[in-house]
Amino acid sequence: MRSKQRTLHLVIFAALAAVVTSSCTEDIKLNLKSAEPHLVIEGNISNGAGPYTVKFSKSKAYYEGNDFEAVAAEYVFIADDAGTTDTLHEVNPGEYQTQSITGVPGRTYHLQAKVEGVVYDAICKMPLPVQLDSLYFEEPGSGPGGPGNGESNRLRCVFQDPAGQGNYYRIATVEHGAYNTNLRIANDRLFDGKLRDISTRAGDLQTGDTVRVELWAITESIYNYYNVLNQNNFSNPVNASAAPANPTSNFSTEVLGYFNAYSFTEKTVIVP
Amino acid sequence: MYQRSFILLLAGIFFHIFLVAQPGSKFSVSGSVKDAKTGEELIGASVYVKELSGAGAVTNAYGFYSLTLPLGRYTLVAHYLGYDDFTATLDSSANQTINIALAPSTVQLNQVEVTATKDDGNVKRAQVSAVTLDVKEMNKVPVLFGERDILKTIQLLPGVMPASEGNSGFYVRGGSNDQNLLLLDEAPVYNASHMLGFFSTFNSDALKDATLYKGNMPAEYGGRISSVLDLKMKEGNDKNYVISGGIGLITSRLNIEGPIVKDKGSFFVSGRTTYADLFLKLSKKENLKESTLHFYDINAKANYRFGKKDRVFISGYFGQDIFGLGTRFGIKYGNSTATARWNHIFNDKLFLNTAFIFNNFNYTINIGNGFDLSVKSVVQDYSLKQDLDYFLNTNNKLKFGWQSTFHSIVPGQVSSSDTSRLNSFSLTKNYSWENGLYAQHEVTLWKKVNINYGIRFSTFTITGPSDYFQFHPDESIDTFRLKTGQFGKTYFNAEPRFSMSYNFYKDMSFKLAYSRNAQNLHQLSNATTSNPTDRWIMSSNNVKPQICDQVGGGYFLNFYKNMFEFSVEGYFKWMQNQIDYKNGAVLRANETVESQLIYGTGRAYGLEVFLKKRTGKFTGWISYTLARSERKFTEVNYNTWFPSKYDRTHDLSVVLMYDITPRINVSATFVYYTGNAVTYPSGKYTVNGTVYPYYGPRNEDRMPDYHRMDLGATFILKKRKNWEHDLNLSIYNLYARKNAYSIDFETRDLENNVTVATKTYLFRIVPSISYNFKFTVLKKQKTN
């Protein structure tokens, strides 16, 4: 909704500007502060097949290139509340994988890592999966996105939200064998217990391409984390805040990143 | 403790009245001061007797004055800048009524300089931090798109800053936009914006008088902690019918005024509409062509005198904005206000105003194909108030009053059609009852000291039918319900205020002031731009009233026979219960929005310098503010003070106006201010295969500095007794500076995966033209 208002502001400028002038955008060189590099831990575990990955990297100054330094961990393990502990091994610099553990919905997972002498802990309970019922492509231009949103890559995902509030979702699309980084998230605050179809925008697709869509059930803290990431998104901020801040991690020690235990169901569709 | 001090105060006042009000040895003269041509009452005109220095009065908001004098023969003088003085001989035989009509000065044929204060009133009065704006002078200042706008003009005063480029929202002395009380004929206007802020709801054609209090507001005002902008609509010409109006690039205006019964009552109606969306049709983009962009507003007012002692006023405003992006998204919003007032003069000394006030602000958002979802929100007040002016004698003036307001807020009602896959639901409505009771005493001592002190007691009570929430540290929530007429949490605030001036010489004074104000309605705005859909909430069991204590002082000097006005003012403000948001807060459509809020403290301090040349061919002013505004929250920046969004270190405005000939006037303004405090990324990191900004402490960065110069010119094409018209040209942003409206950060894949910063600027150079006319139907004058 906020982004609609941004559009509205721009429409007003356009109208006023049409009179004599035009609003414009140009690059500006700002003298930005350089924060100390901070550790980033990104861990995922799901009810899909393993191995699961935990990555360690460092933040860097804003105007530097986008090659982020990998960081080695002294150790990393993931344990569940059924007594399984799996120590991860390094497969690439800064990238660690599990060896045997399998994610089970309803279990609580504990990730512990020691990096540069500091121990980091995160606990996450894997929610129960919600069945993705069906999947279809929207008719171009029929969506609620306003004019100009007539792309043919909008997918609708239909599912039945379980009664009782507190369900949080991410709709992840896998295109050309890779996850689309678009964080399409939802919570059932406004559609609790309803049959819901949520639209998501896929990337560049051709007729005949295969798209796999996963309906992730995520925890509230991960939802909030993703929500702030979306607000902070460079290319398409959603509900950008006047006072932006980093998302709150679910690690007990101050660190960037998160540990996400999610469950999912999936469907595949071929672009018509 | 407060009760005790109030009782002492009242006792003091009554004792004083008892002492002074001894009949027999004195007589009084009272009446009204009006413009002889239009019949409009003159607010702030001075009335005095020549023989007694210091024996003078100033007309109140309804043009009423009262003087009490020792028996004797006097020469009565009424004075108002830009008008010829009125003189009359007073005989002391009995109390008397003298209604005065002042003729506009003939020395300056046109562009009469009306400064709506007694020439040296700014120096003498105890009131600090108040500015009375001259509506006529305002019309000379160059403006964006040629649209005269009071809210843009006040941004050129010290201590007042625009919320953003071209925006009618403003910040006063480091406070937020919702801390300003905007009154239109005593009715609060909750969202004074058209076109999401580019224009204000106040049509300058309909305004008669505007006074801005930047702090230390008189006790009659309550409910906001930063400032009060008190606007009064024109009464209308009570002698002749007048049709006036204007055609501009964005809007056109038409005003009709005239007598209901000559010299007894008059009316004024003003309408304004925009045709900005015509320009959209010129656009090549299909989606812009389909869009609507429209607003209009109407001001109407009528007054009638019943006999010599009673007068009734009815006034109202209605305005609406309508936007739409095709058939998929639309916003409609608007304000309406209505005020019914009754002035009653009990006797020469006692003046009563009773007002019933209604105001409503609402918006509706429509979303989806054929609008299958709509969100509606309403903020509405009913209010009754009485104000008594008691002109005890020339050295003592008392003001008493009370106000009772019933507030209701519908925060968001979502209705969805059957085809929608969202639930229809309604956020709980909130109701509250706010009361104020005040007393204020203005006293002059030893002819050199003016003291104004008073107190306002305010109560705020939440009531039903409504649900309220109790949040616990373990994140559980208890809900409790208040039934209709059942009262919940009540806040009581005593808001004392005191100000004094000491006149060293006739035209020089020092002033000191202290005041406390409380605010029980708060607006939540978490975006970079303010929107009409920003949510209003009330104080509740969770949200405490915002409280502001302000001390201020200043040095005031008029020189060259009041041709120049100079002042330096300093202030310090402490603010309690300031509101901010948790990271990632959900403010919209959220029943438990209060759980998203954090509470902290604020402080603001600054120095304001003002120099104005008030008369002559060449007029204008320079204002400069050096200020700081900070906030502190446990949850932000590790509980240290950080600059607020309203913090701008330097703020300079220069306004120059020059009458080249009686028919041609040119003007120029220059504005400079420090960019506001913002949070830029101080690094970046990667998660989820995407690069995200890393943010350091809040508001440790600055937007680029802002500066701009505008030019304006008015050509009077013709000026006759019954017909006049003029052409107004203006150039906004003369040197086409690309002032940053917003700064965005983005990754650019093409150039080696780098991240860059881009700025968006709204305007380069904006020339505009408008045409104004005024046609008076002159009736044949009967000789009196």
Side-chain angles (χ1 to χ4, degrees), chain A residues 2 5 13 24 26-28 33 35 38 42 59-60 62 64 66 141 147 181 189 194 197 234 242 246, chain B residues 198 287 328 421 423 526 531 533 588-589 682-684 688 694-695 700 745 748 753 755-757 759 761:
Chain A
R2 201 38 74 70
Q5 300 219 337
F13 302 157
C24 267
E26 68 178 30
D27 285 2
I28 182 172
K33 298 195 171 57
H38 286 267
E42 187 182 11
S59 70
K60 60 194 301 190
Y62 184 78
E64 290 175 29
N66 282 348
T181 54
R189 203 164 57 84
K194 272 209 155 188
D197 68 339
F234 279 124
N246 302 318
Chain B
F198 281 101
N287 56 9
R328 297 186 188 86
R421 286 191 164 81
N423 293 329
N526 195 26
N531 283 309
T533 52
R588 264 166 212 288
S682 59
K684 57 184 173 181
N688 184 44
Y694 172 81
Y695 292 106
E700 66 165 1
F745 295 87
R748 206 165 282 171
N753 265 342
T755 35
V756 295
K759 74 170 175 187
Y761 55 91

Side-chain angles (χ1 to χ4, degrees), chain A residues 1-2 4-36 38 40-42 55 57-68 136 141-149 156 158 170 179-183 187-197 216 220 223-235 237 239-248 254 256-258, chain B residues 145 195-196 198-199 249-250 276-277 279-280 287-288 290-293 323-326 328-329 331 365 367-369 375 416 420-425 475 525-534 580 583-591 638 645 678-696 698-702 704 738 740-748 752-767:
Chain A
M1 223 175 271
R2 201 38 74 70
K4 292 285 170 8
Q5 300 219 337
R6 200 182 151 86
T7 317
L8 254 185
H9 272 259
L10 291 175
V11 169
I12 291 173
F13 302 157
L16 300 181
V19 186
V20 270
T21 181
S22 63
S23 67
C24 267
T25 302
E26 68 178 30
D27 285 2
I28 182 172
K29 183 76 187 172
L30 291 169
N31 193 11
L32 296 176
K33 298 195 171 57
S34 255
E36 292 278 296
H38 286 267
V40 185
I41 307 177
E42 187 182 11
K55 288 180 186 168
S57 63
K58 281 266 170 86
S59 70
K60 60 194 301 190
Y62 184 78
Y63 280 121
E64 290 175 29
N66 282 348
D67 45 329
F68 292 90
Y136 63 93
S142 67
N149 287 330
R156 288 260 177 178
V158 185
R170 176 187 173 189
Y179 279 102
N180 185 323
T181 54
N182 179 18
L183 284 173
N187 73 49
D188 65 352
R189 203 164 57 84
L190 301 184
F191 58 81
D192 179 37
K194 272 209 155 188
L195 185 68
R196 178 77 173 122
D197 68 339
W216 292 17
E220 184 182 2
Y223 174 86
N224 289 338
Y225 192 94
Y226 283 159
N227 189 28
V228 177
L229 280 188
N230 275 338
Q231 292 181 355
N232 291 352
N233 190 308
F234 279 124
S235 48
N239 292 338
S241 167
N246 302 318
T248 308
E254 200 169 314
L256 294 168
Y258 58 89
Chain B
F145 299 118
M195 287 201 178
L196 308 182
F198 281 101
F199 306 107
L249 282 178
I250 304 290
D277 45 358
F279 297 109
L280 289 176
N287 56 9
L288 282 185
E290 285 177 16
S291 300
T292 39
L293 184 66
F323 303 128
L325 300 175
R328 297 186 188 86
F329 183 77
I331 294 188
I365 305 174
I367 310 163
N369 208 359
V375 184
S416 54
S420 169
R421 286 191 164 81
L422 289 182
N423 293 329
S424 286
F425 75 102
E475 299 196 347
S525 167
N526 195 26
T528 36
T529 51
S530 68
N531 283 309
T533 52
D534 289 339
D580 215 306
N583 292 339
V586 181
L587 302 181
R588 264 166 212 288
N590 189 349
E591 183 91 314
Y638 306 99
K645 190 162 111 176
V678 288
T679 314
Y680 289 149
S682 59
K684 57 184 173 181
Y685 62 100
T686 178
V687 287
N688 184 44
T690 311
V691 178
Y692 288 98
Y694 172 81
Y695 292 106
R698 184 182 292 186
N699 288 356
E700 66 165 1
D701 299 287
R702 289 278 163 184
K738 297 168 181 173
Y741 177 75
S742 62
I743 301 237
D744 293 301
F745 295 87
E746 55 181 297
T747 47
R748 206 165 282 171
N752 262 343
N753 265 342
V754 292
T755 35
V756 295
T758 61
K759 74 170 175 187
T760 301
Y761 55 91
L762 297 184
F763 307 110
R764 267 174 289 187
I765 183 164
V766 188

Side-chain angles (χ1 to χ4, degrees), chain B residues 209-423:
Chain B
D209 188 84
T211 305
L212 175 73
Y213 298 95
K214 298 183 288 183
N216 301 100
M217 300 77 128
E220 60 191 282
Y221 302 107
R224 297 290 187 282
I225 60 169
S226 240
S227 77
V228 174
L229 179 64
D230 190 357
L231 300 169
K232 296 190 173 73
M233 283 192 226
K234 278 183 185 160
E235 314 295 349
N237 194 312
D238 70 355
K239 298 187 164 32
N240 297 300
Y241 292 98
V242 180
I243 299 170
S244 59
I247 298 166
L249 282 178
I250 304 290
T251 70
S252 277
R253 295 157 278 123
L254 186 69
N255 321 309
I256 300 170
E257 60 187 303
I260 296 171
V261 173
K262 196 172 178 229
D263 294 330
K264 280 210 137 185
S266 59
F267 71 93
F268 183 92
V269 181
S270 179
R272 178 165 70 149
T273 181
T274 179
Y275 27 75
D277 45 358
L278 289 181
F279 297 109
L280 289 176
K281 304 283 182 274
L282 301 175
S283 170
K284 288 187 187 84
K285 279 191 176 174
E286 205 52 47
N287 56 9
L288 282 185
K289 273 189 188 176
E290 285 177 16
S291 300
T292 39
L293 184 66
H294 191 74
F295 78 79
Y296 63 90
D297 55 32
I298 297 161
N299 288 279
K301 190 167 182 177
N303 71 87
Y304 193 79
R305 278 191 193 81
F306 295 92
K308 286 183 175 168
K309 305 220 162 198
D310 296 280
R311 194 175 183 195
V312 171
F313 302 75
I314 293 171
S315 56
Y317 166 87
F318 182 80
Q320 186 100 54
D321 275 67
I322 302 152
F323 303 128
L325 300 175
T327 53
R328 297 186 188 86
F329 183 77
I331 294 188
K332 238 198 231 182
Y333 74 94
N335 293 280
S336 43
T337 71
T339 316
R341 281 176 294 180
W342 169 44
N343 283 179
H344 179 70
I345 300 168
F346 285 101
N347 56 45
D348 299 334
K349 295 182 175 184
L350 193 59
F351 181 97
L352 170 72
N353 175 45
T354 308
F356 173 76
I357 301 158
F358 164 81
N359 61 273
N360 172 297
F361 167 69
N362 67 77
Y363 70 79
T364 309
I365 305 174
N366 292 305
I367 310 163
N369 208 359
F371 297 154
D372 56 6
L373 184 73
S374 77
V375 184
K376 196 173 182 217
S377 173
V378 183
V379 181
Q380 191 166 288
D381 299 341
Y382 291 95
S383 190
L384 188 66
K385 64 180 273 217
Q386 285 194 303
D387 303 292
L388 270 165
D389 280 322
Y390 186 51
F391 299 85
L392 188 55
N393 55 39
T394 45
N395 287 332
N396 288 276
K397 198 187 141 189
L398 290 161
K399 191 153 186 162
F400 299 95
W402 60 272
Q403 177 163 20
S404 185
T405 307
F406 187 73
H407 300 282
S408 64
I409 294 179
V410 180
Q413 214 163 10
V414 177
S415 358
S416 54
S417 66
D418 299 341
T419 54
S420 169
R421 286 191 164 81
L422 289 182
N423 293 329

Side-chain angles (χ1 to χ4, degrees), chain B residues 524-691:
Chain B
L524 306 180
S525 167
N526 195 26
T528 36
T529 51
S530 68
N531 283 309
T533 52
D534 289 339
R535 185 162 166 185
W536 283 93
I537 61 164
M538 294 175 180
S539 293
S540 69
N541 52 313
N542 298 303
V543 182
K544 295 192 182 76
Q546 299 183 61
I547 290 171
C548 177
D549 290 289
Q550 179 165 180
V551 291
Y555 170 78
F556 296 77
L557 174 72
N558 284 10
F559 53 101
Y560 279 112
K561 294 182 178 169
N562 293 322
M563 181 187 264
F564 289 91
E565 177 185 332
F566 173 76
S567 66
V568 183
E569 287 190 61
Y571 65 89
F572 204 114
K573 283 161 86 164
W574 294 266
M575 290 165 270
Q576 302 171 40
N577 307 325
Q578 297 299 290
I579 299 171
D580 215 306
Y581 322 101
K582 290 181 180 166
N583 292 339
V586 181
L587 302 181
R588 264 166 212 288
N590 189 349
E591 183 91 314
T592 54
V593 68
E594 291 173 354
S595 66
Q596 306 287 306
L597 306 179
I598 54 174
Y599 309 99
T601 52
R603 66 181 182 196
Y605 46 95
L607 192 73
E608 300 167 353
V609 185
F610 186 63
L611 173 68
K612 182 173 183 178
K613 184 171 182 292
R614 306 202 289 192
T615 53
K617 279 188 164 185
F618 179 71
T619 55
W621 70 84
I622 299 172
S623 82
Y624 169 74
T625 311
L626 177 68
R628 185 157 298 289
S629 169
E630 295 171 313
R631 299 290 182 274
K632 193 165 98 166
F633 293 89
T634 318
E635 295 83 351
V636 181
N637 290 7
Y638 306 99
N639 203 22
T640 54
W641 288 104
F642 66 93
S644 76
K645 190 162 111 176
Y646 323 108
D647 181 77
R648 288 182 195 151
T649 315
H650 305 283
D651 180 23
L652 174 75
S653 301
V654 182
V655 179
L656 304 171
M657 291 166 277
Y658 185 70
D659 293 330
I660 300 176
T661 72
R663 288 180 178 277
I664 302 172
N665 161 265
V666 289
S667 60
T669 54
F670 174 76
V671 177
Y672 169 90
Y673 57 79
T674 311
N676 21 331
V678 288
T679 314
Y680 289 149
S682 59
K684 57 184 173 181
Y685 62 100
T686 178
V687 287
N688 184 44
T690 311
V691 178

